[in-house]
């Protein structure tokens, strides 16, 4: 099962998509987790999610972790399918809980009350691609899936 989870090709375009998406989500996660890039940090974000958005604390923690660790996982290409899945769930919840009410379009002109879900839909498409194809070139997943299984694993497989 782990080999199927890590399996990927050596595609550079997939790697570019993965790294860029990872950088975007690492930055958003770092705002929430560490207070970097003008964010509120872990305590501030947890407070906002639980009091203003009414997200239960365990789910708020998972949202922060999905963005921070999912972004990091995508950058490294480590457990890419799991990282992409966590980010996809995060985006689905964001659409259902917040952005769906504001329609499709982002608030580019400042004319509407909130942000629509077009960005989230693009992220869902990108994460679906990564869940299907894997990490691509220059990834930990590729290095791990290409590694020769240990003799112990080979013996267990033939037992």
């Amino acid at each position: 099962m782990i080999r199927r989870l890590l399996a990927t090709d050596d595609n550079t375009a997939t790697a570019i998509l993965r790294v860029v998406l990872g950088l975007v989500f690492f930055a958003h996660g770092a705002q929430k987790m560490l207070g970097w890039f003008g964010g509120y940090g872990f305590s501030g974000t947890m407070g906002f999610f639980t009091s203003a958005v009414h997200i239960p604390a365990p789910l708020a923690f998972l949202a922060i972790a999905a963005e921070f660790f999912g972004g990091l996982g995508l950058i490294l290409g480590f457990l890419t399918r799991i990282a992409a899945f966590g980010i996809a769930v995060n985006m689905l919840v964001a659409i259902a809980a917040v952005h769906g009410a504001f329609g499709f379009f982002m608030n580019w002109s400042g004319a509407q009350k909130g942000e629509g879900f077009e960005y989230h839909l693009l992220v869902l498409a990108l994460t679906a691609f990564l869940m299907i194809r894997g990490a691509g070139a220059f990834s930990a997943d590729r290095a791990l899936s290409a590694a020769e299984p240990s003799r112990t694993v080979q013996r267990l497989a033939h037992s």
Side-chain angles (χ1 to χ4, degrees):
M1 165 132 155
I2 192 75
R3 288 184 85 54
R4 289 187 66 190
L5 186 66
L6 299 175
T8 189
D9 56 20
D10 200 23
N11 191 295
T12 303
T14 301
I16 293 169
L17 183 146
R18 170 181 52 80
V19 170
V20 171
L21 184 62
L23 287 170
V24 168
F25 273 88
F26 177 77
H28 281 279
Q31 286 179 312
K32 293 171 179 72
M33 182 77 77
L34 305 172
W36 292 3
F37 313 114
Y40 297 110
F42 185 78
S43 296
T45 303
M46 283 294 290
F48 174 74
F49 280 176
T50 56
S51 63
V53 189
H54 307 293
I55 297 173
L59 297 179
F61 172 77
L62 287 175
I64 295 167
E67 288 189 16
F68 183 77
F69 294 112
L72 191 58
L74 291 182
I75 291 167
L76 299 172
F78 181 64
L79 299 175
T80 299
R81 287 181 170 92
I82 294 171
F85 178 75
I87 290 169
V89 170
N90 207 3
M91 293 297 97
L92 286 170
V93 171
I95 291 169
V98 179
H99 300 282
F102 299 111
F104 179 74
F105 294 103
M106 297 295 292
N107 191 13
W108 298 109
S109 64
Q112 64 192 45
K113 200 170 189 172
E115 301 288 347
F117 61 89
E118 67 179 314
Y119 163 80
H120 307 83
L121 190 59
L122 287 171
V123 170
L124 286 170
L126 297 173
T127 56
F129 180 87
L130 291 172
M131 285 187 283
I132 293 166
R133 294 286 299 262
F138 317 112
S139 66
D141 288 353
R142 176 130 176 91
L144 291 169
S145 68
E148 189 69 27
S150 71
R151 299 222 186 268
T152 305
V153 173
Q154 288 176 346
R155 275 196 307 262
L156 290 173
H158 294 296
S159 298

